[in-house]
Amino acid sequence: GDFCFSPDGKLVFGVRGAYQRESTVIAFVRSSGEEVWRGEEYHQIDEIVCSPDGSVVAFHSVGFDRQNSKIVICEAQSGAVQAEISAGLLPNITFSSNGQFFTANEHGKIVIRDTVTCREIRRFGSHLGIVQSVRFNSADTRIITTDSSGMMRLWDVANGDEVLSHWRWKTSLTPECPK
């Protein structure tokens, strides 16, 4: 979406000019509307999420040529940019429930990164279609991904192995549905 709340509900992080050529993230106090910080301008911000502990905000900026898209990680209290990471057009940024990791679609591969250092922890296999969603389970031991072809995949976070795959619109696995 083009806004999100801090976990304690005191701050709102909004995108001014969402989906437009020039966009910026603005943090403001929910109760008063007072601006806390305003980030740099980026091209077409189309997704923003806050970590569960409220320490960082991540957003996605679509590149001018739609090839140079990036995920930007900012400190939630100051707006200081911690990292910019090359990404695909639909990154689906998701934080683990403990906020230690975040995952995103980076050019068709699902990547888990450390929230503080942004260091890559694990890279998962790719999908045939465009990845549409990425979510951690509540224990942060698995992630589930879905793509535009209708495939759902369940991955083991610890080793990166695919645990299960299933076509959403099929009621049972058939020979034309890969296992």
Side-chain angles (χ1 to χ4, degrees), residues 67-172:
Q67 298 299 314
N68 296 316
S69 296
K70 58 184 143 191
I71 297 167
V72 181
I73 308 295
C74 298
E75 292 178 5
Q77 296 303 312
S78 69
V81 174
Q82 291 180 315
E84 292 184 355
I85 302 159
S86 178
L89 289 177
L90 299 168
N92 296 295
I93 306 163
T94 303
F95 285 94
S96 59
S97 61
N98 64 12
Q100 184 177 359
F101 305 108
F102 71 92
T103 185
N105 171 18
E106 296 180 23
H107 305 289
K109 299 277 188 187
I110 306 303
V111 178
I112 293 180
R113 293 183 177 274
D114 181 276
T115 300
V116 175
T117 66
C118 295
R119 182 177 59 85
E120 184 176 311
I121 303 298
R122 178 101 42 244
R123 185 172 287 263
F124 298 88
S126 56
H127 276 266
L128 296 175
I130 297 169
V131 175
Q132 294 181 314
S133 62
V134 180
R135 297 292 181 267
F136 280 92
N137 69 346
S138 60
D140 296 332
T141 57
R142 303 266 196 260
I143 60 169
I144 191 165
T145 58
T146 62
D147 74 15
S148 59
S149 75
M151 180 62 77
M152 289 189 314
R153 296 183 191 269
L154 184 66
W155 308 89
D156 185 286
V157 170
N159 60 27
D161 290 343
E162 183 179 311
V163 177
L164 176 72
S165 63
H166 183 68
W167 290 99
R168 290 186 295 196
W169 61 80
K170 305 272 185 190
T171 56
S172 62

Side-chain angles (χ1 to χ4, degrees), residues 46-60:
D46 64 358
E47 179 179 3
I48 184 168
V49 293
C50 190
S51 65
D53 66 358
S55 64
V56 299
V57 175
F59 64 88
H60 176 247

